[in-house]
Short mmCIF file of all heavy atoms in Angstrom, two decimals:
data_model
loop_
_atom_site.label_atom_id
_atom_site.label_comp_id
_atom_site.label_asym_id
_atom_site.label_seq_id
_atom_site.Cartn_x
_atom_site.Cartn_y
_atom_site.Cartn_z
N VAL A 1 0.84 -1.21 0.00
CA VAL A 1 0.00 0.00 0.00
C VAL A 1 0.87 1.25 0.00
O VAL A 1 0.60 2.22 -0.71
CB VAL A 1 -0.97 -0.01 1.21
CG1 VAL A 1 -1.73 1.32 1.30
CG2 VAL A 1 -1.96 -1.16 1.09
N ILE A 2 1.93 1.24 0.80
CA ILE A 2 2.85 2.39 0.86
C ILE A 2 3.51 2.61 -0.50
O ILE A 2 3.63 3.74 -0.99
CB ILE A 2 3.92 2.18 1.95
CG1 ILE A 2 3.27 2.28 3.34
CG2 ILE A 2 5.05 3.21 1.82
CD1 ILE A 2 4.18 1.86 4.48
N LYS A 3 3.93 1.50 -1.13
CA LYS A 3 4.54 1.61 -2.47
C LYS A 3 3.55 2.20 -3.47
O LYS A 3 3.92 3.02 -4.32
CB LYS A 3 5.02 0.24 -2.94
CG LYS A 3 6.30 -0.24 -2.26
CD LYS A 3 6.72 -1.59 -2.82
CE LYS A 3 8.03 -2.05 -2.19
NZ LYS A 3 8.43 -3.39 -2.71
N ALA A 4 2.28 1.76 -3.37
CA ALA A 4 1.25 2.28 -4.28
C ALA A 4 1.04 3.77 -4.06
O ALA A 4 0.89 4.54 -5.02
CB ALA A 4 -0.06 1.52 -4.06
N MET A 5 1.05 4.21 -2.80
CA MET A 5 0.89 5.64 -2.49
C MET A 5 2.03 6.46 -3.06
O MET A 5 1.83 7.51 -3.68
CB MET A 5 0.81 5.83 -0.97
CG MET A 5 -0.61 5.73 -0.42
SD MET A 5 -0.68 6.26 1.28
CE MET A 5 -0.50 4.71 2.10
N LYS A 6 3.26 5.96 -2.84
CA LYS A 6 4.43 6.69 -3.33
C LYS A 6 4.43 6.75 -4.86
O LYS A 6 4.83 7.76 -5.46
CB LYS A 6 5.70 6.03 -2.81
CG LYS A 6 5.90 6.25 -1.31
CD LYS A 6 7.20 5.63 -0.83
CE LYS A 6 7.43 5.94 0.66
NZ LYS A 6 8.68 5.30 1.16
N SER A 7 4.00 5.65 -5.49
CA SER A 7 3.93 5.62 -6.95
C SER A 7 2.89 6.63 -7.46
O SER A 7 3.14 7.36 -8.43
CB SER A 7 3.56 4.20 -7.41
OG SER A 7 3.34 4.17 -8.79
N ALA A 8 1.74 6.70 -6.76
CA ALA A 8 0.69 7.65 -7.15
C ALA A 8 1.15 9.09 -6.96
O ALA A 8 0.84 9.97 -7.77
CB ALA A 8 -0.58 7.38 -6.34
N GLN A 9 1.92 9.32 -5.90
CA GLN A 9 2.46 10.67 -5.66
C GLN A 9 3.49 11.04 -6.72
O GLN A 9 3.53 12.18 -7.18
CB GLN A 9 3.08 10.72 -4.27
CG GLN A 9 2.05 10.71 -3.14
CD GLN A 9 2.70 10.66 -1.76
OE1 GLN A 9 3.80 10.12 -1.59
NE2 GLN A 9 2.03 11.21 -0.76
N LYS A 10 4.30 10.06 -7.09
CA LYS A 10 5.33 10.32 -8.11
C LYS A 10 4.71 10.69 -9.45
O LYS A 10 5.23 11.54 -10.18
CB LYS A 10 6.21 9.06 -8.26
CG LYS A 10 7.41 9.27 -9.15
CD LYS A 10 8.29 8.02 -9.16
CE LYS A 10 9.51 8.24 -10.05
NZ LYS A 10 10.39 7.03 -10.07
N GLU A 11 3.59 10.05 -9.76
CA GLU A 11 2.91 10.33 -11.02
C GLU A 11 1.89 11.47 -10.90
O GLU A 11 1.07 11.69 -11.80
CB GLU A 11 2.22 9.06 -11.53
CG GLU A 11 3.18 7.96 -11.91
CD GLU A 11 2.49 6.76 -12.52
OE1 GLU A 11 1.30 6.89 -12.90
OE2 GLU A 11 3.14 5.70 -12.63
N LYS A 12 1.90 12.16 -9.75
CA LYS A 12 1.04 13.32 -9.51
C LYS A 12 -0.45 12.96 -9.46
O LYS A 12 -1.30 13.84 -9.61
CB LYS A 12 1.26 14.41 -10.58
CG LYS A 12 2.72 14.82 -10.78
CD LYS A 12 3.31 15.43 -9.53
CE LYS A 12 4.75 15.91 -9.79
NZ LYS A 12 5.38 16.46 -8.56
N LYS A 13 -0.75 11.68 -9.24
CA LYS A 13 -2.15 11.29 -9.08
C LYS A 13 -2.64 11.66 -7.68
O LYS A 13 -3.83 11.85 -7.46
CB LYS A 13 -2.30 9.77 -9.30
CG LYS A 13 -1.94 9.30 -10.70
CD LYS A 13 -3.00 9.70 -11.70
CE LYS A 13 -2.68 9.18 -13.09
NZ LYS A 13 -2.78 7.72 -13.20
N LEU A 14 -1.69 11.70 -6.76
CA LEU A 14 -1.97 12.15 -5.39
C LEU A 14 -0.92 13.18 -5.02
O LEU A 14 0.25 13.06 -5.43
CB LEU A 14 -1.90 10.98 -4.40
CG LEU A 14 -3.03 9.94 -4.44
CD1 LEU A 14 -2.72 8.79 -3.49
CD2 LEU A 14 -4.38 10.57 -4.09
N PRO A 15 -1.29 14.20 -4.22
CA PRO A 15 -0.30 15.20 -3.79
C PRO A 15 0.64 14.60 -2.73
O PRO A 15 0.39 13.52 -2.18
CB PRO A 15 -1.17 16.31 -3.18
CG PRO A 15 -2.40 15.61 -2.73
CD PRO A 15 -2.65 14.50 -3.71
N SER A 16 1.70 15.30 -2.46
CA SER A 16 2.64 14.86 -1.43
C SER A 16 2.03 15.09 -0.04
O SER A 16 1.46 16.14 0.23
CB SER A 16 3.95 15.62 -1.58
OG SER A 16 4.87 15.22 -0.58
N PHE A 17 2.15 14.11 0.82
CA PHE A 17 1.65 14.22 2.20
C PHE A 17 2.33 13.15 3.05
O PHE A 17 2.88 12.17 2.54
CB PHE A 17 0.13 14.04 2.26
CG PHE A 17 -0.35 12.73 1.70
CD1 PHE A 17 -0.44 11.59 2.51
CD2 PHE A 17 -0.72 12.63 0.36
CE1 PHE A 17 -0.88 10.39 1.98
CE2 PHE A 17 -1.17 11.43 -0.17
CZ PHE A 17 -1.25 10.30 0.64
N ASN A 18 2.33 13.39 4.36
CA ASN A 18 2.88 12.39 5.28
C ASN A 18 1.93 11.19 5.35
O ASN A 18 0.74 11.35 5.63
CB ASN A 18 3.06 12.98 6.68
CG ASN A 18 4.15 14.04 6.72
OD1 ASN A 18 5.14 13.95 5.98
ND2 ASN A 18 3.99 15.04 7.55
N ILE A 19 2.47 10.02 5.09
CA ILE A 19 1.64 8.81 5.05
C ILE A 19 1.18 8.45 6.46
O ILE A 19 2.02 8.27 7.36
CB ILE A 19 2.42 7.64 4.42
CG1 ILE A 19 2.75 7.97 2.97
CG2 ILE A 19 1.62 6.34 4.51
CD1 ILE A 19 3.66 6.97 2.30
N PRO A 20 -0.12 8.37 6.69
CA PRO A 20 -0.62 8.03 8.03
C PRO A 20 -0.43 6.55 8.35
O PRO A 20 -0.05 5.76 7.48
CB PRO A 20 -2.11 8.38 7.95
CG PRO A 20 -2.45 8.26 6.50
CD PRO A 20 -1.21 8.64 5.74
N GLU A 21 -0.68 6.19 9.58
CA GLU A 21 -0.59 4.78 10.00
C GLU A 21 -1.59 3.95 9.21
O GLU A 21 -2.77 4.30 9.10
CB GLU A 21 -0.90 4.67 11.51
CG GLU A 21 -0.87 3.26 12.06
CD GLU A 21 0.52 2.65 12.06
OE1 GLU A 21 1.51 3.41 12.09
OE2 GLU A 21 0.61 1.40 12.05
N ILE A 22 -1.12 2.85 8.68
CA ILE A 22 -1.97 1.98 7.86
C ILE A 22 -2.43 0.80 8.69
O ILE A 22 -1.61 0.04 9.22
CB ILE A 22 -1.22 1.49 6.61
CG1 ILE A 22 -0.80 2.68 5.75
CG2 ILE A 22 -2.08 0.51 5.80
CD1 ILE A 22 0.14 2.32 4.63
N PHE A 23 -3.74 0.64 8.80
CA PHE A 23 -4.29 -0.49 9.54
C PHE A 23 -4.86 -1.51 8.56
O PHE A 23 -5.70 -1.17 7.72
CB PHE A 23 -5.40 -0.02 10.50
CG PHE A 23 -6.09 -1.15 11.22
CD1 PHE A 23 -5.46 -1.81 12.26
CD2 PHE A 23 -7.35 -1.56 10.83
CE1 PHE A 23 -6.08 -2.86 12.92
CE2 PHE A 23 -7.99 -2.62 11.47
CZ PHE A 23 -7.35 -3.27 12.52
N ILE A 24 -4.39 -2.73 8.65
CA ILE A 24 -4.90 -3.84 7.84
C ILE A 24 -5.73 -4.73 8.75
O ILE A 24 -5.22 -5.28 9.73
CB ILE A 24 -3.76 -4.66 7.20
CG1 ILE A 24 -2.82 -3.76 6.40
CG2 ILE A 24 -4.35 -5.78 6.35
CD1 ILE A 24 -3.38 -3.21 5.13
N GLY A 25 -7.02 -4.86 8.45
CA GLY A 25 -7.90 -5.66 9.28
C GLY A 25 -8.47 -6.85 8.53
O GLY A 25 -8.26 -7.03 7.33
N VAL A 26 -9.18 -7.70 9.28
CA VAL A 26 -9.87 -8.85 8.69
C VAL A 26 -11.36 -8.54 8.68
O VAL A 26 -11.96 -8.37 9.74
CB VAL A 26 -9.60 -10.13 9.50
CG1 VAL A 26 -10.38 -11.30 8.91
CG2 VAL A 26 -8.10 -10.44 9.55
N PRO A 27 -11.98 -8.42 7.51
CA PRO A 27 -13.40 -8.08 7.43
C PRO A 27 -14.28 -9.13 8.10
O PRO A 27 -13.94 -10.32 8.13
CB PRO A 27 -13.67 -8.01 5.93
CG PRO A 27 -12.35 -7.88 5.29
CD PRO A 27 -11.38 -8.59 6.17
N GLU A 28 -15.42 -8.69 8.62
CA GLU A 28 -16.37 -9.62 9.23
C GLU A 28 -17.04 -10.49 8.17
O GLU A 28 -17.38 -11.64 8.44
CB GLU A 28 -17.42 -8.84 10.02
CG GLU A 28 -16.86 -8.13 11.25
CD GLU A 28 -17.93 -7.41 12.04
OE1 GLU A 28 -19.13 -7.54 11.67
OE2 GLU A 28 -17.58 -6.73 13.02
N ARG A 29 -17.23 -9.95 6.98
CA ARG A 29 -17.89 -10.71 5.91
C ARG A 29 -16.85 -11.24 4.92
O ARG A 29 -15.95 -10.51 4.49
CB ARG A 29 -18.89 -9.82 5.18
CG ARG A 29 -20.04 -9.32 6.07
CD ARG A 29 -20.99 -8.48 5.25
NE ARG A 29 -22.05 -7.92 6.08
CZ ARG A 29 -23.01 -7.12 5.63
NH1 ARG A 29 -23.02 -6.77 4.34
NH2 ARG A 29 -23.94 -6.66 6.45
N GLU A 30 -17.01 -12.49 4.52
CA GLU A 30 -16.06 -13.12 3.60
C GLU A 30 -16.04 -12.42 2.25
O GLU A 30 -14.99 -12.38 1.59
CB GLU A 30 -16.42 -14.60 3.41
CG GLU A 30 -16.12 -15.45 4.64
CD GLU A 30 -16.36 -16.93 4.37
OE1 GLU A 30 -16.50 -17.30 3.18
OE2 GLU A 30 -16.42 -17.70 5.34
N ASN A 31 -17.21 -11.91 1.81
CA ASN A 31 -17.25 -11.27 0.48
C ASN A 31 -16.57 -9.91 0.46
O ASN A 31 -16.50 -9.24 -0.57
CB ASN A 31 -18.69 -11.14 -0.02
CG ASN A 31 -19.55 -10.26 0.87
OD1 ASN A 31 -19.21 -10.02 2.02
ND2 ASN A 31 -20.67 -9.80 0.33
N HIS A 32 -16.04 -9.47 1.62
CA HIS A 32 -15.27 -8.22 1.69
C HIS A 32 -13.76 -8.48 1.69
O HIS A 32 -12.97 -7.57 1.94
CB HIS A 32 -15.66 -7.42 2.94
CG HIS A 32 -17.02 -6.80 2.84
ND1 HIS A 32 -17.62 -6.16 3.90
CD2 HIS A 32 -17.90 -6.72 1.81
CE1 HIS A 32 -18.81 -5.71 3.54
NE2 HIS A 32 -19.00 -6.04 2.26
N GLY A 33 -13.37 -9.74 1.41
CA GLY A 33 -11.95 -10.06 1.28
C GLY A 33 -11.36 -10.77 2.49
O GLY A 33 -12.01 -10.94 3.53
N ASP A 34 -10.10 -11.22 2.31
CA ASP A 34 -9.36 -11.82 3.42
C ASP A 34 -8.82 -10.73 4.34
O ASP A 34 -8.70 -10.92 5.55
CB ASP A 34 -8.20 -12.66 2.87
CG ASP A 34 -8.69 -13.82 2.03
OD1 ASP A 34 -9.58 -14.55 2.50
OD2 ASP A 34 -8.20 -13.98 0.89
N TYR A 35 -8.48 -9.59 3.73
CA TYR A 35 -7.99 -8.43 4.48
C TYR A 35 -8.64 -7.18 3.90
O TYR A 35 -9.13 -7.18 2.76
CB TYR A 35 -6.47 -8.28 4.38
CG TYR A 35 -5.68 -9.40 4.99
CD1 TYR A 35 -5.02 -10.32 4.19
CD2 TYR A 35 -5.58 -9.54 6.38
CE1 TYR A 35 -4.27 -11.35 4.75
CE2 TYR A 35 -4.84 -10.56 6.95
CZ TYR A 35 -4.19 -11.46 6.13
OH TYR A 35 -3.46 -12.48 6.68
N SER A 36 -8.60 -6.12 4.69
CA SER A 36 -9.16 -4.85 4.20
C SER A 36 -8.46 -3.69 4.91
O SER A 36 -7.95 -3.85 6.01
CB SER A 36 -10.67 -4.81 4.49
OG SER A 36 -11.24 -3.63 3.98
N THR A 37 -8.45 -2.53 4.24
CA THR A 37 -7.88 -1.34 4.86
C THR A 37 -8.75 -0.12 4.55
O THR A 37 -9.36 -0.03 3.48
CB THR A 37 -6.44 -1.07 4.39
OG1 THR A 37 -5.95 0.11 5.04
CG2 THR A 37 -6.37 -0.87 2.88
N ASN A 38 -8.81 0.79 5.52
CA ASN A 38 -9.59 2.03 5.34
C ASN A 38 -8.68 3.22 5.06
O ASN A 38 -9.07 4.37 5.24
CB ASN A 38 -10.42 2.32 6.60
CG ASN A 38 -9.54 2.62 7.81
OD1 ASN A 38 -8.34 2.33 7.80
ND2 ASN A 38 -10.12 3.20 8.85
N ILE A 39 -7.43 2.95 4.62
CA ILE A 39 -6.45 4.02 4.45
C ILE A 39 -6.93 5.09 3.46
O ILE A 39 -6.64 6.28 3.63
CB ILE A 39 -5.08 3.44 4.00
CG1 ILE A 39 -4.00 4.52 4.03
CG2 ILE A 39 -5.18 2.78 2.64
CD1 ILE A 39 -3.74 5.10 5.40
N ALA A 40 -7.69 4.69 2.42
CA ALA A 40 -8.17 5.68 1.43
C ALA A 40 -9.15 6.65 2.07
O ALA A 40 -9.20 7.83 1.69
CB ALA A 40 -8.82 4.95 0.26
N ILE A 41 -9.93 6.18 3.05
CA ILE A 41 -10.86 7.06 3.76
C ILE A 41 -10.09 8.09 4.57
O ILE A 41 -10.43 9.27 4.60
CB ILE A 41 -11.81 6.22 4.66
CG1 ILE A 41 -12.67 5.30 3.79
CG2 ILE A 41 -12.68 7.13 5.52
CD1 ILE A 41 -13.53 4.33 4.58
N LEU A 42 -9.02 7.63 5.24
CA LEU A 42 -8.20 8.53 6.06
C LEU A 42 -7.51 9.58 5.18
O LEU A 42 -7.47 10.76 5.52
CB LEU A 42 -7.15 7.73 6.84
CG LEU A 42 -7.68 6.71 7.85
CD1 LEU A 42 -6.52 5.98 8.51
CD2 LEU A 42 -8.53 7.39 8.91
N ILE A 43 -6.99 9.11 4.03
CA ILE A 43 -6.32 10.04 3.11
C ILE A 43 -7.33 11.03 2.53
O ILE A 43 -7.05 12.22 2.38
CB ILE A 43 -5.60 9.27 1.99
CG1 ILE A 43 -4.45 8.44 2.58
CG2 ILE A 43 -5.06 10.23 0.92
CD1 ILE A 43 -3.80 7.51 1.58
N GLY A 44 -8.52 10.53 2.18
CA GLY A 44 -9.56 11.39 1.63
C GLY A 44 -9.92 12.53 2.57
O GLY A 44 -10.05 13.68 2.15
N LYS A 45 -10.05 12.20 3.86
CA LYS A 45 -10.33 13.23 4.86
C LYS A 45 -9.19 14.22 4.96
O LYS A 45 -9.38 15.43 5.07
CB LYS A 45 -10.60 12.59 6.21
CG LYS A 45 -11.93 11.84 6.30
CD LYS A 45 -12.11 11.23 7.69
CE LYS A 45 -13.45 10.50 7.78
NZ LYS A 45 -13.62 9.85 9.11
N LYS A 46 -7.96 13.69 4.90
CA LYS A 46 -6.77 14.53 5.03
C LYS A 46 -6.64 15.50 3.85
O LYS A 46 -6.29 16.67 4.04
CB LYS A 46 -5.53 13.61 5.09
CG LYS A 46 -4.23 14.30 5.42
CD LYS A 46 -3.09 13.28 5.43
CE LYS A 46 -1.78 13.90 5.82
NZ LYS A 46 -1.66 14.15 7.26
N LEU A 47 -6.97 14.99 2.65
CA LEU A 47 -6.80 15.80 1.43
C LEU A 47 -8.10 16.49 1.00
O LEU A 47 -8.11 17.20 -0.01
CB LEU A 47 -6.30 14.92 0.29
CG LEU A 47 -4.98 14.18 0.51
CD1 LEU A 47 -4.65 13.33 -0.70
CD2 LEU A 47 -3.85 15.16 0.81
#
């Protein structure tokens, strides 16, 4: 995820910002994946 963020910043798809703490969780529902993260929500609020 961090590599993806840095790549997006390098290509100007996202502005430069301090990367917040990334939490990887296990969704309660199987159809939501083996793992999930809300990092895009945190970044969206920040930006």
Side-chain angles (χ1 to χ4, degrees):
V1 173
I2 290 170
K3 285 182 178 178
M5 271 191 266
K6 289 182 176 178
S7 174
Q9 288 175 331
K10 187 175 181 180
E11 294 185 15
K12 308 297 184 183
K13 297 287 183 68
L14 289 174
S16 179
F17 58 87
N18 292 327
I19 296 173
E21 179 68 25
I22 299 170
F23 175 75
I24 305 289
V26 177
E28 293 182 4
R29 298 181 183 179
E30 289 186 13
N31 62 342
H32 288 173
D34 297 310
Y35 295 108
S36 183
T37 180
N38 65 343
I39 189 62
I41 296 174
L42 298 179
I43 294 172
K45 289 180 179 178
K46 189 181 183 76
L47 302 179

